[in-house]
Amino acid sequence: MSDVIFGFSQAFTFTNFLAAFASVAVGIMIGALPGLSAAMGVALLIPVTFGMPKDAALITLIGIYCGAIYGGSITAILIHTPGTPAAAATAIDGYQLTLKGSPGKALGTATIASFCGGILSAISLYLFSPPLAKLALNFGPAEYFWLSIFGLTIIAGVSSNSMIKGLISGCLGLVFSTIGMDPMLGEARFTFDISYLLSGLPFTAVLIGLFSMSQVLVLAESKIQKKSQSANVKDSLLLTVSEMKRITPTVIRSWVIGNIVGILPGAGASIASFLGYNEAKRFSKYKEEFGKGSIEAIAGSEAANNAVTGGSLIPTLTLGIPGESVTAVLLGGLLLQGLQPGPDLFTAHAKVTYTVFAGFILVNILMLVLGLFGCNWFAKIARLPDSILIPTIFALSVIGAYAINNSIEDVWIMFIFGIIGYFFTKFKLNPAAFILALILGPIGETGLRRTLIMHHGDIAPLFSSTISWVLIILSLLSLLSPIFMSKVEKLEGKIEKG
Amino acid sequence: MKKYDLMLGSVLLAFCMLYGYLASQMNVRISTYPMFVVTVLAILILVLLVRTCMKNTADENFKLFGKVQKKQFSIVLGLCFLYVLLIDMVGFYTTTVIYLGASLFGLKVKKSYILITTLGFSTFLYLVFDIMLKVPTPKGIIF
């Protein structure tokens, strides 16, 4: 309890407050810009946070994450262009309200629902993280091997359009993770006598290349068009008491949905928002308003996608299994700060962890304030043309890749993986699965080989513990998850068609 | 997409063979795991190829790079390459100013915006990375 209180006192220090404020503002801008994703924003900002204190650095990355998920709703509502895929469901009714001359009401609903979803998800973060982290204390090498397999199957199986391509992406990541020194014997593998490669591929440079530079190339391949003029918000963003009463049950329902979807790795904010929307419609007394500008619809999708943020941090921080691509990138930021997911975060680094948790709450409060007072301004930023975004994002990618190790070789690696990332996008491979495999590969390999060495090559100990079997079953279930996901996608299609 | 999936599968399979060959040249104590991983990858690629071959050809006219603005894309990629190449020789900030100016010009941005963005963004990078984070950016022959 003392760590929790300490966390609150630390989160509100000037440095952390400033970090939270700036990161939420930047996150909202990134989210509001169609074509830029939350994962890209976090990847770009990791190098900036490298020199910061651990708590401020992580609050910054979480601020970008939460801000970007919310920011997507601004352009979804004002110009019918979701800034992020998570805001696609919001665009349906949000834009209808804008057409009816009430963009303020739509934005106000989205902001309040996002805030509630985010804040409520903090409760699960506080409640579920420590016991789950304690579970990791029982993990031996065999369990870590199966954990890495589980991590790979979930993200590869669920977040890609094609499961086989997701698995191929994950396997490619495993292949690239073998570059460098052998983790057990220290001998060089696939280094071609280049000493730079002995420590393996620079993780942050690969990350920036795959998520940021590839986006530059994706933007560059399309004809640059002038972005639509957004509607001016003239009506009030504040909701009346009766409107608040009307959206409250929806927000609570969507919080539960978003949290569960967030904790279950692989699904992500966009799926949660459609589920939230659908459940809002199912329970609403005003079903006929859906698709024509319903505030319950906006609240349903926005509360759900923001509730994912807290939920998805739980498996990321406790087991090192990110729920979606943004948290996979965020995990990179955590490792770069020298923090390992698991029980240590709640014992040796408890003060930092609880400061970050309190920072998560602060970030959501600031999101509410910035959203209510600055959405007009963010809407203007969203009109920044791609012709300006392309060179500025690339320049940031270059300095970001360079800044971690002050190495020009890292910039070249970023460049190469930027091109690889572009082809990943074109061929519908999954960069998040690749990155996750790059992180989990050495953990899995060490776990497997350590188990085999300890038992003189006998594979039976890999299957000897209950935790191993639970992880094996979960891995198999996650491979079956595409069946569930195809049903959700059908549901999304139905909703979009109205 | 069928044609492109076959292309993807073939390229990845060739990569697997090269990687497998390189792994086979290594000491067996350190090559077992890479060989295992590449075998799994090769199996997955074969599954992709078989599934793709069994698909119907409804999307025969689909062109993966059909809508790519070739000239614009080449300019952007070329300038990105030159930027990275010249940083170490010329210096980070000088190259950044040239890169931003050239890219914005190539992307047909208004002259006034080119000036504002180039100077404004370069100053922003200098303040954040040089002054605040103290990153020793490459100086090269100029700055």
Side-chain angles (χ1 to χ4, degrees):
Chain A
M1 193 63 194
S2 62
D3 287 331
V4 175
I5 295 164
F6 175 84
F8 275 100
S9 67
Q10 276 299 106
F12 287 84
T13 57
F14 179 71
T15 314
N16 288 336
F17 186 87
L18 195 69
F21 185 85
S23 61
V24 172
V26 173
I28 297 176
M29 279 186 237
I30 289 171
L33 281 160
L36 305 191
S37 65
M40 194 213 82
V42 177
L44 267 184
L45 263 287
I46 283 178
V48 178
T49 62
F50 184 53
M52 291 182 182
K54 287 182 174 66
D55 47 5
L58 293 174
I59 289 172
T60 303
L61 297 180
I62 288 173
I64 300 274
Y65 177 25
C66 296
I69 296 291
Y70 159 70
S73 68
I74 297 176
T75 40
I77 289 167
L78 295 179
I79 55 174
H80 202 232
T81 310
T84 54
T90 310
I92 305 168
D93 284 73
Y95 188 61
Q96 289 301 321
L97 267 180
T98 299
L99 291 180
K100 285 178 180 170
S102 308
K105 187 182 279 184
L107 283 168
T109 309
T111 309
I112 292 164
S114 296
F115 164 73
C116 295
I119 281 285
L120 290 171
S121 77
I123 297 173
S124 4
L125 194 60
Y126 274 100
L127 284 181
F128 298 131
S129 297
L132 207 59
K134 265 187 198 158
L135 184 75
L137 278 173
N138 302 318
F139 282 31
E143 286 77 14
Y144 272 110
F145 168 68
W146 288 116
L147 183 71
S148 66
I149 297 289
F150 173 49
L152 284 171
T153 54
I154 42 168
I155 205 145
V158 182
S159 57
S160 173
N161 289 331
S162 145
M163 190 180 84
I164 192 78
K165 284 189 180 176
L167 291 171
I168 288 174
S169 313
C171 252
L172 273 172
L174 287 181
V175 164
F176 278 93
S177 77
T178 59
I179 294 174
M181 297 238 270
D182 176 276
M184 301 296 288
L185 301 169
E187 287 180 45
R189 290 190 307 203
F190 308 105
T191 56
F192 309 101
D193 293 328
I194 303 167
S195 56
Y196 166 76
L197 289 175
L198 280 174
S199 52
L201 287 172
F203 176 74
T204 317
V206 174
L207 197 78
I208 295 173
L210 280 178
F211 285 95
S212 302
M213 188 192 151
S214 64
Q215 200 57 41
V216 167
L217 298 177
V218 169
L219 291 176
E221 71 168 24
S222 313
K223 198 171 182 182
I224 290 171
Q225 283 166 340
K226 215 176 164 186
K227 291 189 178 166
S228 350
Q229 182 83 44
S230 66
N232 267 331
V233 184
K234 286 177 184 158
D235 59 323
S236 169
L237 270 81
L238 297 175
L239 302 182
T240 61
V241 177
S242 66
E243 284 168 336
M244 282 298 289
K245 269 186 188 167
R246 199 175 144 188
I247 64 165
T248 301
T250 305
V251 167
I252 292 171
R253 207 178 302 114
S254 287
W255 158 53
V256 176
I257 292 167
N259 248 284
I260 294 170
V261 171
I263 293 169
L264 291 174
S270 49
I271 284 165
S273 68
F274 274 104
L275 286 174
Y277 181 101
N278 191 54
E279 290 312 297
K281 189 176 181 180
R282 215 153 63 91
F283 284 92
S284 175
K285 286 178 191 162
Y286 310 94
K287 286 190 181 67
E288 67 287 353
E289 285 183 18
F290 278 70
K292 293 170 192 159
S294 158
I295 56 166
E296 282 174 274
I298 300 168
S301 62
E302 279 304 304
N305 67 28
N306 278 274
V308 166
T309 54
S312 67
L313 284 173
I314 297 171
T316 309
L317 297 176
T318 55
L319 300 172
I321 310 174
E324 53 176 341
S325 53
V326 198
T327 35
V329 180
L330 223 142
L331 180 62
L334 190 78
L335 297 174
L336 203 72
Q337 289 293 333
L339 298 170
Q340 286 288 337
D344 266 7
L345 279 184
F346 298 88
T347 51
H349 302 292
K351 287 190 164 49
V352 175
T353 308
Y354 284 108
T355 304
V356 174
F357 281 12
F360 179 79
I361 293 175
L362 173 65
V363 155
N364 277 286
I365 295 169
L366 290 170
M367 189 176 81
L368 176 74
V369 176
L370 282 168
L372 288 178
F373 294 102
C375 60
N376 247 335
W377 188 76
F378 289 118
K380 284 195 176 86
I381 292 275
R383 293 189 60 229
L384 210 59
D386 290 347
S387 49
I388 289 182
L389 288 176
I390 290 167
T392 48
I393 292 173
F394 186 70
L396 264 179
S397 304
V398 167
I399 185 75
Y402 179 85
I404 300 292
N405 299 316
N406 303 327
S407 154
I408 198 75
E409 285 88 350
D410 283 7
V411 180
W412 280 112
I413 294 285
M414 181 278 295
F415 187 82
I416 293 166
F417 275 90
I419 294 171
I420 293 175
Y422 171 73
F423 284 106
F424 261 57
T425 313
K426 295 304 283 182
F427 287 97
K428 296 189 169 35
L429 290 168
N430 184 348
F434 182 95
I435 278 294
L436 192 60
L438 212 57
I439 299 173
L440 295 177
I443 299 171
E445 181 183 1
T446 311
L448 174 68
R449 288 176 60 187
R450 200 166 277 170
T451 311
L452 294 177
I453 289 171
M454 279 161 65
H455 300 91
H456 311 289
D458 183 11
I459 61 160
L462 284 172
F463 304 92
S464 60
S465 76
T466 316
I467 296 175
S468 289
W469 275 108
V470 169
L471 290 167
I472 293 168
I473 292 165
L474 286 174
S475 304
L476 291 172
L477 284 177
S478 73
L479 285 174
L480 295 173
S481 58
I483 299 165
F484 166 72
M485 298 315 294
S486 68
K487 282 190 177 166
V488 174
E489 273 159 23
K490 272 181 198 164
L491 179 74
E492 283 180 19
K494 269 185 195 170
I495 292 171
E496 274 176 344
K497 278 177 194 166
Chain B
M1 197 67 196
K2 183 176 177 175
K3 186 171 76 179
Y4 298 101
D5 278 350
L6 289 175
M7 208 189 286
L8 172 72
S10 311
V11 171
L12 289 179
L13 213 52
F15 169 76
C16 282
M17 285 161 75
L18 175 69
Y19 179 89
Y21 169 75
L22 291 171
S24 70
Q25 302 298 304
M26 295 188 307
N27 182 335
V28 73
R29 293 185 310 161
I30 58 168
S31 67
T32 313
Y33 178 77
M35 284 302 255
F36 168 72
V37 171
V38 81
T39 308
V40 176
L41 177 61
I43 293 169
L44 289 170
I45 293 165
L46 287 173
V47 173
L48 173 75
L49 286 172
V50 171
R51 279 178 56 168
T52 309
C53 286
M54 286 162 65
K55 259 188 206 166
N56 61 27
T57 51
D59 57 354
E60 219 172 349
N61 294 326
F62 174 76
K63 284 199 172 80
L64 193 61
F65 299 95
K67 287 180 183 169
V68 175
Q69 302 287 309
K70 292 184 184 73
K71 192 179 161 194
Q72 179 183 289
F73 187 80
S74 310
I75 290 173
V76 170
L77 188 60
L79 285 171
C80 289
F81 177 76
L82 282 177
Y83 179 34
V84 178
L85 189 73
L86 293 175
I87 286 173
D88 234 8
M89 295 181 233
V90 183
F92 178 73
Y93 290 103
T94 314
T95 323
T96 302
V97 169
I98 297 169
Y99 164 74
L100 287 174
S103 296
L104 293 166
F105 181 76
L107 292 167
K108 298 185 179 106
V109 175
K110 274 187 198 168
K111 278 179 189 157
S112 55
Y113 287 179
I114 294 179
L115 194 70
I116 295 166
T117 310
T118 304
L119 294 180
F121 196 69
S122 303
T123 312
F124 165 77
L125 290 181
Y126 179 73
L127 290 175
V128 173
F129 287 92
D130 234 280
I131 305 292
M132 208 175 98
L133 299 173
K134 304 207 183 322
V135 174
T137 47
K139 296 288 178 246
I141 50 168
I142 309 176
F143 180 55

